[in-house]
Amino acid sequence: GVTFLYVPPATDAAEAGAVATQLSADFVARPVSVDNWSVRLEVAVGVAAYSSEIMGLDDLVLHAAQGLSARTPEPAMTF
């Protein structure tokens, strides 16, 4: 899979969750055409917000990854 990081400025946890929900919905709603196939993409999103426990960007990414792996099952291949 492909991993990317999006860090919106001045965004709290609730706003980040809303962005993640919309991003996920957008991926599902827009299939991609590949060699006459319509392919639906799936995205798994981890969300974290700065707090007194987070010491920098690396720690923020770690918290997002931990939250993601705790609640995301392995993707299923469907045809």
Side-chain angles (χ1 to χ4, degrees):
V2 175
T3 302
F4 68 92
L5 175 66
Y6 174 62
V7 182
T11 303
D12 64 20
E15 292 170 317
V19 169
T21 298
Q22 186 62 51
L23 180 66
S24 296
D26 288 347
F27 267 87
V28 171
R30 293 184 175 90
V32 176
S33 295
V34 179
D35 292 332
N36 295 323
W37 288 79
S38 181
V39 179
R40 289 199 183 271
L41 302 177
E42 182 178 89
V43 63
V45 181
V47 177
Y50 272 110
S51 70
S52 60
E53 298 174 358
I54 298 195
M55 304 307 288
L57 185 58
D58 289 340
D59 205 21
L60 184 68
V61 171
L62 178 64
H63 276 74
Q66 287 172 341
L68 177 63
S69 64
R71 69 175 195 275
T72 305
E74 287 295 315
M77 294 187 67
T78 56
F79 300 95

Coordinates of all heavy atoms in Angstrom, one line a residue:
G1 N 0.8 -1.2 0.0 CA 0.0 0.0 0.0 C 0.9 1.2 0.0 O 2.1 1.2 0.2
V2 N 0.2 2.3 -0.2 CA 0.9 3.6 -0.2 C 0.5 4.4 1.1 O -0.6 4.3 1.5 CB 0.3 4.5 -1.4 CG1 0.9 5.9 -1.4 CG2 0.7 3.8 -2.7
T3 N 1.6 5.0 1.6 CA 1.4 5.7 2.9 C 1.7 7.2 2.6 O 2.6 7.5 1.9 CB 2.4 5.2 3.9 OG1 2.1 3.8 4.2 CG2 2.2 6.0 5.3
F4 N 0.8 8.0 3.1 CA 1.1 9.5 3.0 C 0.6 10.1 4.3 O -0.2 9.6 5.1 CB 0.4 10.1 1.8 CG -1.1 10.2 1.8 CD1 -1.7 11.3 2.3 CD2 -1.8 9.1 1.3 CE1 -3.1 11.3 2.4 CE2 -3.2 9.2 1.4 CZ -3.9 10.3 1.9
L5 N 1.1 11.3 4.5 CA 0.8 12.1 5.7 C 0.2 13.4 5.4 O 0.7 14.1 4.5 CB 2.1 12.3 6.5 CG 2.0 13.2 7.8 CD1 1.2 12.5 8.8 CD2 3.4 13.5 8.3
Y6 N -0.9 13.7 6.0 CA -1.6 15.0 5.8 C -1.7 15.7 7.2 O -2.3 15.1 8.1 CB -2.9 14.9 5.1 CG -3.7 16.1 5.0 CD1 -3.2 17.2 4.3 CD2 -4.9 16.3 5.7 CE1 -4.0 18.4 4.2 CE2 -5.7 17.5 5.6 CZ -5.2 18.5 4.8 OH -5.9 19.7 4.7
V7 N -1.1 16.8 7.4 CA -1.1 17.5 8.6 C -1.8 18.9 8.4 O -1.1 19.8 8.0 CB 0.3 17.7 9.2 CG1 0.2 18.4 10.6 CG2 1.0 16.4 9.3
P8 N -3.1 18.9 8.7 CA -3.8 20.2 8.5 C -3.4 21.2 9.7 O -3.4 20.7 10.8 CB -5.3 19.9 8.5 CG -5.3 18.6 9.2 CD -4.0 17.9 9.0
P9 N -3.1 22.4 9.4 CA -2.8 23.3 10.5 C -4.0 23.7 11.4 O -5.1 23.7 10.9 CB -2.2 24.6 9.8 CG -2.9 24.5 8.4 CD -3.1 23.0 8.1
A10 N -3.7 23.9 12.6 CA -4.7 24.4 13.6 C -6.0 23.6 13.5 O -7.1 24.1 13.4 CB -5.0 25.9 13.3
T11 N -5.9 22.2 13.6 CA -7.0 21.3 13.6 C -7.0 20.5 14.8 O -6.0 19.9 15.2 CB -6.9 20.4 12.3 OG1 -6.8 21.2 11.2 CG2 -8.1 19.5 12.2
D12 N -8.2 20.5 15.5 CA -8.3 19.6 16.7 C -8.7 18.2 16.3 O -8.9 17.9 15.1 CB -9.2 20.2 17.7 CG -10.7 20.3 17.3 OD1 -11.1 19.6 16.3 OD2 -11.4 21.1 17.8
A13 N -8.8 17.3 17.3 CA -9.0 15.9 17.0 C -10.4 15.7 16.4 O -10.5 14.9 15.5 CB -9.0 15.1 18.3
A14 N -11.4 16.5 16.8 CA -12.7 16.3 16.2 C -12.7 16.7 14.7 O -13.3 16.0 13.8 CB -13.8 17.1 16.9
E15 N -12.0 17.8 14.4 CA -11.9 18.3 13.0 C -11.1 17.3 12.2 O -11.5 17.0 11.0 CB -11.3 19.7 12.9 CG -12.1 20.8 13.5 CD -11.4 22.1 13.6 OE1 -10.2 22.1 14.1 OE2 -12.0 23.1 13.3
A16 N -10.0 16.8 12.7 CA -9.2 15.8 12.0 C -10.0 14.5 11.8 O -9.9 13.9 10.7 CB -8.0 15.5 12.9
G17 N -10.8 14.1 12.7 CA -11.7 12.9 12.5 C -12.7 13.2 11.4 O -12.9 12.3 10.5
A18 N -13.2 14.4 11.3 CA -14.2 14.7 10.2 C -13.5 14.7 8.9 O -14.0 14.2 7.9 CB -14.8 16.1 10.5
V19 N -12.3 15.2 8.8 CA -11.5 15.2 7.6 C -11.2 13.7 7.2 O -11.4 13.4 6.0 CB -10.2 16.0 7.7 CG1 -9.2 15.7 6.5 CG2 -10.5 17.5 7.9
A20 N -10.8 12.9 8.1 CA -10.6 11.5 7.8 C -11.8 10.8 7.3 O -11.7 10.0 6.3 CB -10.0 10.8 9.1
T21 N -12.9 11.1 7.9 CA -14.2 10.4 7.5 C -14.5 10.9 6.0 O -14.9 10.0 5.2 CB -15.3 10.8 8.4 OG1 -15.0 10.3 9.7 CG2 -16.7 10.3 8.0
Q22 N -14.4 12.1 5.7 CA -14.7 12.6 4.4 C -13.7 12.1 3.4 O -14.1 11.7 2.3 CB -14.7 14.2 4.4 CG -15.1 14.7 3.0 CD -16.5 14.4 2.7 OE1 -17.4 14.6 3.5 NE2 -16.7 13.8 1.5
L23 N -12.4 12.0 3.7 CA -11.4 11.4 2.8 C -11.7 10.0 2.5 O -11.7 9.6 1.3 CB -10.0 11.5 3.5 CG -8.9 11.0 2.7 CD1 -8.7 11.8 1.4 CD2 -7.6 11.0 3.5
S24 N -12.1 9.2 3.5 CA -12.5 7.8 3.3 C -13.7 7.7 2.4 O -13.7 6.9 1.5 CB -12.8 7.1 4.6 OG -11.6 7.1 5.4
A25 N -14.7 8.5 2.6 CA -15.9 8.5 1.8 C -15.6 8.8 0.4 O -16.1 8.2 -0.6 CB -17.0 9.4 2.4
D26 N -14.7 9.8 0.2 CA -14.4 10.3 -1.2 C -13.7 9.1 -2.0 O -13.9 9.0 -3.2 CB -13.5 11.5 -1.2 CG -14.3 12.8 -0.8 OD1 -15.5 12.7 -0.8 OD2 -13.6 13.8 -0.4
F27 N -12.8 8.4 -1.3 CA -12.1 7.3 -2.0 C -13.1 6.2 -2.4 O -13.0 5.7 -3.5 CB -11.0 6.7 -1.1 CG -9.7 7.2 -1.2 CD1 -9.3 8.3 -0.5 CD2 -8.8 6.7 -2.1 CE1 -8.0 8.9 -0.6 CE2 -7.5 7.2 -2.2 CZ -7.1 8.3 -1.5
V28 N -14.0 5.9 -1.6 CA -15.0 4.8 -1.9 C -15.9 5.3 -3.0 O -16.3 4.6 -3.9 CB -15.8 4.4 -0.6 CG1 -17.0 3.5 -1.0 CG2 -14.9 3.7 0.3
A29 N -16.3 6.6 -3.0 CA -17.3 7.1 -3.9 C -16.8 7.3 -5.3 O -17.6 7.5 -6.3 CB -17.8 8.5 -3.4
R30 N -15.5 7.3 -5.5 CA -14.9 7.7 -6.8 C -14.0 6.5 -7.3 O -12.8 6.5 -7.1 CB -14.1 8.9 -6.7 CG -14.9 10.1 -6.4 CD -14.0 11.4 -6.5 NE -14.8 12.6 -6.3 CZ -15.1 13.1 -5.1 NH1 -14.7 12.6 -4.0 NH2 -15.8 14.2 -5.1
P31 N -14.7 5.6 -8.1 CA -13.9 4.5 -8.6 C -12.9 5.0 -9.7 O -13.1 6.0 -10.3 CB -14.9 3.5 -9.2 CG -16.1 4.3 -9.3 CD -16.1 5.5 -8.4
V32 N -11.8 4.3 -9.9 CA -10.8 4.6 -10.8 C -10.9 3.6 -12.0 O -11.0 2.4 -11.8 CB -9.4 4.5 -10.2 CG1 -8.3 4.8 -11.2 CG2 -9.3 5.5 -9.0
S33 N -10.7 4.1 -13.2 CA -10.8 3.2 -14.4 C -9.3 2.8 -14.7 O -8.4 3.6 -14.9 CB -11.4 3.9 -15.6 OG -12.7 4.2 -15.3
V34 N -9.1 1.5 -14.8 CA -7.8 0.9 -15.2 C -8.1 -0.2 -16.2 O -8.7 -1.2 -15.9 CB -7.1 0.3 -13.9 CG1 -5.8 -0.3 -14.3 CG2 -6.9 1.4 -12.8
D35 N -7.6 0.0 -17.4 CA -7.7 -1.0 -18.5 C -9.1 -1.5 -18.6 O -9.4 -2.7 -18.5 CB -6.7 -2.1 -18.3 CG -5.3 -1.7 -18.5 OD1 -5.1 -0.7 -19.3 OD2 -4.4 -2.3 -17.9
N36 N -10.1 -0.6 -18.7 CA -11.5 -1.0 -18.8 C -12.1 -1.6 -17.6 O -13.2 -2.2 -17.6 CB -11.8 -1.9 -20.0 CG -11.5 -1.1 -21.3 OD1 -11.8 0.1 -21.4 ND2 -11.0 -1.8 -22.3
W37 N -11.4 -1.6 -16.4 CA -11.9 -2.0 -15.2 C -12.3 -0.8 -14.3 O -11.5 0.1 -14.3 CB -10.9 -2.9 -14.4 CG -10.6 -4.2 -15.0 CD1 -9.9 -4.5 -16.1 CD2 -11.1 -5.5 -14.6 NE1 -9.8 -5.8 -16.4 CE2 -10.6 -6.5 -15.4 CE3 -11.9 -5.8 -13.5 CZ2 -10.9 -7.8 -15.3 CZ3 -12.2 -7.2 -13.4 CH2 -11.7 -8.1 -14.2
S38 N -13.3 -0.9 -13.6 CA -13.7 0.1 -12.6 C -13.2 -0.4 -11.2 O -13.7 -1.4 -10.7 CB -15.2 0.3 -12.6 OG -15.5 1.3 -11.6
V39 N -12.2 0.3 -10.6 CA -11.6 -0.2 -9.4 C -12.0 0.8 -8.3 O -11.8 2.0 -8.4 CB -10.1 -0.2 -9.5 CG1 -9.4 -0.6 -8.3 CG2 -9.7 -1.1 -10.7
R40 N -12.5 0.3 -7.2 CA -12.8 1.1 -6.0 C -11.6 1.0 -5.1 O -11.2 -0.1 -4.8 CB -14.1 0.6 -5.3 CG -15.3 0.9 -6.1 CD -16.5 0.8 -5.2 NE -17.7 1.0 -6.0 CZ -18.3 2.2 -6.3 NH1 -17.7 3.3 -5.8 NH2 -19.3 2.4 -7.0
L41 N -11.2 2.2 -4.7 CA -10.1 2.2 -3.7 C -10.6 2.2 -2.3 O -11.7 2.6 -2.0 CB -9.3 3.5 -4.0 CG -8.7 3.7 -5.4 CD1 -8.0 5.0 -5.6 CD2 -7.8 2.5 -5.8
E42 N -9.7 1.8 -1.4 CA -10.0 1.8 0.0 C -8.9 2.5 0.7 O -7.7 2.4 0.3 CB -10.1 0.3 0.5 CG -10.5 0.2 2.0 CD -10.7 -1.2 2.4 OE1 -9.7 -1.8 2.8 OE2 -11.8 -1.7 2.3
V43 N -9.2 3.2 1.7 CA -8.2 3.9 2.5 C -8.4 3.7 4.0 O -9.5 3.5 4.4 CB -8.3 5.5 2.2 CG1 -9.6 6.1 2.6 CG2 -7.1 6.2 2.8
A44 N -7.3 3.5 4.6 CA -7.3 3.4 6.1 C -6.7 4.6 6.7 O -5.6 5.0 6.2 CB -6.6 2.1 6.5
V45 N -7.3 5.3 7.6 CA -6.8 6.6 8.1 C -6.6 6.5 9.6 O -7.4 6.1 10.3 CB -7.8 7.7 7.8 CG1 -7.3 9.0 8.3 CG2 -8.2 7.7 6.3
G46 N -5.4 6.9 10.0 CA -5.1 7.0 11.4 C -5.1 8.5 11.8 O -4.6 9.3 11.0
V47 N -5.7 8.8 12.9 CA -5.8 10.2 13.3 C -5.2 10.4 14.7 O -5.3 9.6 15.6 CB -7.3 10.6 13.4 CG1 -7.5 12.0 13.9 CG2 -8.0 10.5 12.1
A48 N -4.4 11.5 14.8 CA -3.8 11.9 16.1 C -3.8 13.4 16.2 O -3.8 14.1 15.1 CB -2.4 11.3 16.2
A49 N -3.9 13.9 17.4 CA -3.8 15.3 17.6 C -2.8 15.6 18.6 O -2.5 14.8 19.5 CB -5.2 15.9 18.1
Y50 N -2.1 16.8 18.5 CA -1.1 17.2 19.4 C -1.7 17.3 20.8 O -2.8 17.7 21.0 CB -0.5 18.5 19.1 CG 0.7 18.4 18.2 CD1 0.6 18.8 16.8 CD2 1.9 17.9 18.6 CE1 1.7 18.7 16.0 CE2 3.0 17.7 17.8 CZ 2.9 18.2 16.5 OH 4.0 18.0 15.6
S51 N -1.0 16.8 21.8 CA -1.4 16.9 23.2 C -0.1 17.0 24.0 O 1.0 17.0 23.5 CB -2.2 15.7 23.6 OG -1.4 14.5 23.7
S52 N -0.2 17.0 25.3 CA 1.0 17.1 26.2 C 1.8 15.8 26.1 O 3.0 15.8 26.5 CB 0.5 17.3 27.7 OG -0.3 16.3 28.1
E53 N 1.2 14.7 25.7 CA 1.9 13.4 25.5 C 2.7 13.3 24.3 O 3.6 12.5 24.1 CB 0.9 12.3 25.5 CG 0.1 12.2 26.8 CD -1.0 11.1 26.7 OE1 -1.1 10.5 25.6 OE2 -1.7 10.9 27.7
I54 N 2.5 14.2 23.3 CA 3.1 14.1 22.0 C 4.3 15.1 21.9 O 4.1 16.3 22.2 CB 2.1 14.4 20.9 CG1 1.1 13.3 20.9 CG2 2.8 14.5 19.5 CD1 0.2 13.1 19.8
M55 N 5.4 14.6 21.6 CA 6.7 15.4 21.7 C 7.2 15.9 20.4 O 8.2 16.6 20.3 CB 7.8 14.5 22.3 CG 7.4 14.0 23.7 SD 6.8 15.2 24.9 CE 8.3 16.1 25.2
G56 N 6.5 15.6 19.3 CA 6.9 16.1 18.0 C 6.2 15.4 16.9 O 5.4 14.5 17.1
L57 N 6.6 15.6 15.6 CA 6.0 15.0 14.5 C 6.1 13.5 14.4 O 5.2 12.8 14.2 CB 6.5 15.6 13.2 CG 5.9 15.2 11.9 CD1 4.4 15.5 11.9 CD2 6.5 15.9 10.7
D58 N 7.3 13.0 14.8 CA 7.5 11.5 14.8 C 6.5 10.9 15.8 O 6.0 9.8 15.5 CB 8.9 11.2 15.1 CG 9.9 11.5 14.0 OD1 9.5 11.6 12.8 OD2 11.1 11.6 14.3
D59 N 6.4 11.5 16.9 CA 5.5 10.9 17.9 C 4.0 11.0 17.5 O 3.2 10.1 17.7 CB 5.7 11.7 19.3 CG 5.3 10.9 20.5 OD1 5.2 9.7 20.4 OD2 5.0 11.5 21.5
L60 N 3.7 12.1 16.8 CA 2.3 12.3 16.3 C 2.0 11.2 15.3 O 0.9 10.6 15.3 CB 2.2 13.7 15.6 CG 0.8 14.1 15.1 CD1 -0.2 14.2 16.2 CD2 0.9 15.3 14.3
V61 N 2.9 10.9 14.4 CA 2.8 9.9 13.4 C 2.6 8.5 14.1 O 1.8 7.7 13.7 CB 3.9 9.9 12.4 CG1 3.9 8.7 11.4 CG2 3.9 11.2 11.5
L62 N 3.4 8.3 15.1 CA 3.4 7.0 15.8 C 2.0 6.8 16.4 O 1.4 5.7 16.4 CB 4.5 7.0 16.9 CG 4.5 5.7 17.8 CD1 4.8 4.5 16.9 CD2 5.5 5.9 18.9
H63 N 1.5 7.9 17.1 CA 0.1 7.8 17.7 C -1.0 7.5 16.6 O -1.9 6.7 16.8 CB -0.2 9.0 18.4 CG 0.3 9.1 19.8 ND1 1.7 9.3 20.1 CD2 -0.3 8.9 21.0 CE1 1.9 9.3 21.4 NE2 0.7 9.0 22.0
A64 N -0.9 8.1 15.5 CA -1.8 7.9 14.4 C -1.7 6.4 13.9 O -2.7 5.8 13.7 CB -1.6 8.8 13.2
A65 N -0.5 5.9 13.7 CA -0.3 4.6 13.3 C -0.8 3.5 14.3 O -1.4 2.5 13.9 CB 1.2 4.3 13.0
Q66 N -0.6 3.8 15.6 CA -1.1 2.9 16.6 C -2.6 2.9 16.7 O -3.2 1.8 16.8 CB -0.5 3.3 18.0 CG 0.9 3.0 18.2 CD 1.5 3.6 19.4 OE1 1.0 4.5 20.0 NE2 2.7 3.1 19.8
G67 N -3.2 4.0 16.5 CA -4.7 4.0 16.5 C -5.2 3.3 15.3 O -6.2 2.6 15.3
L68 N -4.5 3.5 14.2 CA -5.0 2.8 12.9 C -4.8 1.3 13.1 O -5.8 0.5 12.8 CB -4.1 3.3 11.8 CG -4.4 2.7 10.4 CD1 -5.8 2.9 9.9 CD2 -3.4 3.2 9.4
S69 N -3.7 0.8 13.5 CA -3.5 -0.7 13.6 C -4.4 -1.3 14.7 O -4.8 -2.5 14.6 CB -2.0 -1.0 13.9 OG -1.7 -0.5 15.2
A70 N -4.8 -0.5 15.7 CA -5.7 -1.1 16.7 C -7.1 -1.3 16.3 O -7.8 -2.1 16.8 CB -5.7 -0.1 17.9
R71 N -7.5 -0.6 15.2 CA -8.9 -0.7 14.8 C -9.1 -1.1 13.4 O -10.3 -1.3 12.9 CB -9.7 0.6 15.1 CG -9.3 1.7 14.2 CD -10.2 2.9 14.5 NE -10.1 3.9 13.4 CZ -9.2 4.9 13.4 NH1 -8.2 5.0 14.3 NH2 -9.2 5.7 12.4
T72 N -8.1 -1.3 12.6 CA -8.2 -1.7 11.2 C -7.9 -3.1 10.9 O -6.7 -3.5 11.1 CB -7.3 -0.7 10.4 OG1 -7.7 0.6 10.7 CG2 -7.5 -0.9 8.9
P73 N -8.8 -3.9 10.5 CA -8.5 -5.3 10.1 C -7.7 -5.3 8.7 O -7.7 -4.3 8.0 CB -9.9 -5.9 9.9 CG -10.8 -4.8 9.6 CD -10.2 -3.6 10.3
E74 N -7.1 -6.4 8.4 CA -6.4 -6.5 7.1 C -7.5 -6.3 6.0 O -8.6 -6.8 6.1 CB -5.8 -7.9 7.0 CG -4.5 -8.0 7.9 CD -3.4 -7.1 7.4 OE1 -3.1 -7.0 6.2 OE2 -2.8 -6.5 8.3
P75 N -7.1 -5.6 5.0 CA -8.0 -5.4 3.9 C -8.4 -6.7 3.2 O -7.6 -7.6 3.0 CB -7.3 -4.5 2.9 CG -5.9 -4.4 3.3 CD -5.8 -4.9 4.7
A76 N -9.7 -6.8 2.9 CA -10.1 -8.0 2.2 C -10.1 -7.8 0.7 O -10.5 -6.7 0.2 CB -11.5 -8.4 2.7
M77 N -9.8 -8.8 -0.1 CA -9.8 -8.6 -1.5 C -11.2 -9.1 -2.0 O -11.6 -10.2 -1.7 CB -8.7 -9.5 -2.2 CG -7.3 -9.0 -1.8 SD -6.0 -9.8 -2.8 CE -6.4 -9.3 -4.4
T78 N -11.9 -8.2 -2.7 CA -13.2 -8.5 -3.2 C -13.2 -8.3 -4.7 O -12.6 -7.4 -5.2 CB -14.3 -7.7 -2.5 OG1 -14.0 -6.3 -2.7 CG2 -14.4 -8.0 -1.0
F79 N -14.0 -9.1 -5.4 CA -14.0 -9.0 -6.8 C -15.5 -8.9 -7.3 O -16.3 -9.4 -6.7 CB -13.4 -10.2 -7.5 CG -11.9 -10.4 -7.1 CD1 -11.5 -11.2 -6.1 CD2 -11.0 -9.7 -7.8 CE1 -10.2 -11.3 -5.8 CE2 -9.6 -9.8 -7.5 CZ -9.2 -10.6 -6.5

